[in-house]
Short mmCIF file of all heavy atoms in Angstrom, two decimals:
data_model
loop_
_atom_site.label_atom_id
_atom_site.label_comp_id
_atom_site.label_asym_id
_atom_site.label_seq_id
_atom_site.Cartn_x
_atom_site.Cartn_y
_atom_site.Cartn_z
N PRO A 238 -35.05 -18.14 13.84
CA PRO A 238 -35.21 -19.43 14.54
C PRO A 238 -34.40 -19.51 15.82
O PRO A 238 -34.82 -20.16 16.79
CB PRO A 238 -34.71 -20.46 13.51
CG PRO A 238 -34.94 -19.81 12.19
CD PRO A 238 -34.65 -18.34 12.43
N LEU A 239 -33.22 -18.87 15.85
CA LEU A 239 -32.41 -18.87 17.06
C LEU A 239 -33.12 -18.16 18.20
O LEU A 239 -33.06 -18.58 19.35
CB LEU A 239 -31.06 -18.20 16.78
CG LEU A 239 -30.10 -18.09 17.97
CD1 LEU A 239 -29.65 -19.48 18.42
CD2 LEU A 239 -28.89 -17.23 17.60
N VAL A 240 -33.84 -17.06 17.86
CA VAL A 240 -34.52 -16.27 18.89
C VAL A 240 -35.81 -16.95 19.36
O VAL A 240 -36.10 -17.01 20.55
CB VAL A 240 -34.84 -14.86 18.33
CG1 VAL A 240 -35.74 -14.09 19.28
CG2 VAL A 240 -33.55 -14.08 18.08
N VAL A 241 -36.59 -17.47 18.42
CA VAL A 241 -37.92 -17.97 18.74
C VAL A 241 -37.91 -19.45 19.14
O VAL A 241 -38.68 -19.87 19.99
CB VAL A 241 -38.88 -17.76 17.54
CG1 VAL A 241 -40.23 -18.39 17.79
CG2 VAL A 241 -39.03 -16.28 17.26
N ALA A 242 -37.04 -20.23 18.54
CA ALA A 242 -37.04 -21.68 18.76
C ALA A 242 -35.94 -22.08 19.73
O ALA A 242 -34.93 -22.66 19.35
CB ALA A 242 -36.88 -22.42 17.44
N SER A 243 -36.12 -21.76 21.01
CA SER A 243 -35.12 -22.16 22.01
C SER A 243 -35.28 -23.63 22.40
O SER A 243 -34.35 -24.23 22.93
CB SER A 243 -35.26 -21.28 23.26
OG SER A 243 -36.56 -21.35 23.80
N ASP A 244 -36.45 -24.20 22.14
CA ASP A 244 -36.69 -25.61 22.41
C ASP A 244 -36.06 -26.45 21.31
O ASP A 244 -36.28 -26.21 20.12
CB ASP A 244 -38.20 -25.88 22.48
CG ASP A 244 -38.51 -27.27 23.02
OD1 ASP A 244 -37.63 -28.15 22.93
OD2 ASP A 244 -39.63 -27.48 23.52
N GLU A 245 -35.27 -27.44 21.70
CA GLU A 245 -34.55 -28.25 20.72
C GLU A 245 -35.48 -28.99 19.78
O GLU A 245 -35.10 -29.32 18.65
CB GLU A 245 -33.64 -29.24 21.44
CG GLU A 245 -32.72 -30.01 20.51
CD GLU A 245 -31.75 -30.90 21.26
OE1 GLU A 245 -31.77 -30.86 22.51
OE2 GLU A 245 -30.98 -31.61 20.60
N SER A 246 -36.72 -29.24 20.19
CA SER A 246 -37.64 -30.04 19.38
C SER A 246 -38.07 -29.34 18.10
O SER A 246 -38.54 -29.99 17.17
CB SER A 246 -38.89 -30.40 20.20
OG SER A 246 -39.60 -29.23 20.58
N ILE A 247 -37.93 -28.00 18.02
CA ILE A 247 -38.34 -27.30 16.80
C ILE A 247 -37.19 -26.48 16.20
O ILE A 247 -37.41 -25.63 15.35
CB ILE A 247 -39.55 -26.37 17.05
CG1 ILE A 247 -39.19 -25.25 18.02
CG2 ILE A 247 -40.75 -27.14 17.53
CD1 ILE A 247 -40.24 -24.16 18.05
N ARG A 248 -35.97 -26.76 16.62
CA ARG A 248 -34.84 -26.05 16.04
C ARG A 248 -34.61 -26.48 14.60
O ARG A 248 -34.83 -27.63 14.24
CB ARG A 248 -33.58 -26.31 16.87
CG ARG A 248 -33.57 -25.55 18.18
CD ARG A 248 -32.33 -25.83 18.98
NE ARG A 248 -32.34 -25.10 20.25
CZ ARG A 248 -31.47 -25.28 21.22
NH1 ARG A 248 -30.49 -26.16 21.08
NH2 ARG A 248 -31.56 -24.58 22.33
N THR A 249 -34.16 -25.54 13.79
CA THR A 249 -33.97 -25.80 12.36
C THR A 249 -32.54 -26.27 12.08
O THR A 249 -31.68 -26.24 12.96
CB THR A 249 -34.27 -24.54 11.54
OG1 THR A 249 -33.37 -23.49 11.95
CG2 THR A 249 -35.71 -24.07 11.76
N ILE A 250 -32.30 -26.66 10.84
CA ILE A 250 -31.01 -27.22 10.47
C ILE A 250 -29.87 -26.22 10.63
O ILE A 250 -28.76 -26.59 11.00
CB ILE A 250 -31.05 -27.75 9.01
CG1 ILE A 250 -29.75 -28.44 8.62
CG2 ILE A 250 -31.38 -26.63 8.04
CD1 ILE A 250 -29.45 -29.68 9.42
N GLN A 251 -30.15 -24.93 10.37
CA GLN A 251 -29.09 -23.93 10.49
C GLN A 251 -28.64 -23.77 11.95
O GLN A 251 -27.46 -23.51 12.22
CB GLN A 251 -29.56 -22.58 9.94
CG GLN A 251 -30.01 -22.63 8.49
CD GLN A 251 -28.95 -23.13 7.55
OE1 GLN A 251 -27.77 -22.97 7.80
NE2 GLN A 251 -29.36 -23.76 6.45
N ILE A 252 -29.57 -23.93 12.88
CA ILE A 252 -29.20 -23.90 14.31
C ILE A 252 -28.46 -25.17 14.67
O ILE A 252 -27.48 -25.15 15.42
CB ILE A 252 -30.46 -23.73 15.18
CG1 ILE A 252 -31.28 -22.53 14.72
CG2 ILE A 252 -30.07 -23.59 16.65
CD1 ILE A 252 -30.55 -21.23 14.77
N GLY A 253 -28.93 -26.29 14.12
CA GLY A 253 -28.28 -27.57 14.41
C GLY A 253 -26.84 -27.62 13.95
O GLY A 253 -25.99 -28.27 14.58
N LEU A 254 -26.52 -26.93 12.86
CA LEU A 254 -25.15 -26.93 12.36
C LEU A 254 -24.18 -26.30 13.34
O LEU A 254 -22.97 -26.61 13.32
CB LEU A 254 -25.08 -26.19 11.02
CG LEU A 254 -25.78 -26.85 9.83
CD1 LEU A 254 -25.71 -25.96 8.60
CD2 LEU A 254 -25.16 -28.22 9.53
N GLN A 255 -24.68 -25.43 14.21
CA GLN A 255 -23.79 -24.77 15.17
C GLN A 255 -23.23 -25.74 16.19
O GLN A 255 -22.19 -25.48 16.80
CB GLN A 255 -24.54 -23.64 15.88
CG GLN A 255 -24.94 -22.51 14.97
CD GLN A 255 -23.74 -21.91 14.25
OE1 GLN A 255 -22.79 -21.44 14.87
NE2 GLN A 255 -23.78 -21.94 12.93
N TYR A 256 -23.93 -26.87 16.40
CA TYR A 256 -23.43 -27.85 17.35
C TYR A 256 -22.06 -28.39 16.91
O TYR A 256 -21.21 -28.71 17.74
CB TYR A 256 -24.42 -29.01 17.48
CG TYR A 256 -25.61 -28.70 18.36
CD1 TYR A 256 -26.81 -28.30 17.83
CD2 TYR A 256 -25.50 -28.81 19.75
CE1 TYR A 256 -27.90 -28.02 18.64
CE2 TYR A 256 -26.57 -28.53 20.57
CZ TYR A 256 -27.77 -28.14 20.01
OH TYR A 256 -28.85 -27.85 20.83
#
Side-chain angles (χ1 to χ4, degrees):
L239 178 66
V240 171
V241 175
S243 57
D244 191 337
E245 187 175 357
S246 63
I247 65 168
R248 285 179 180 171
T249 60
I250 184 64
Q251 303 302 332
I252 307 301
L254 292 176
Q255 294 303 302
Y256 281 98

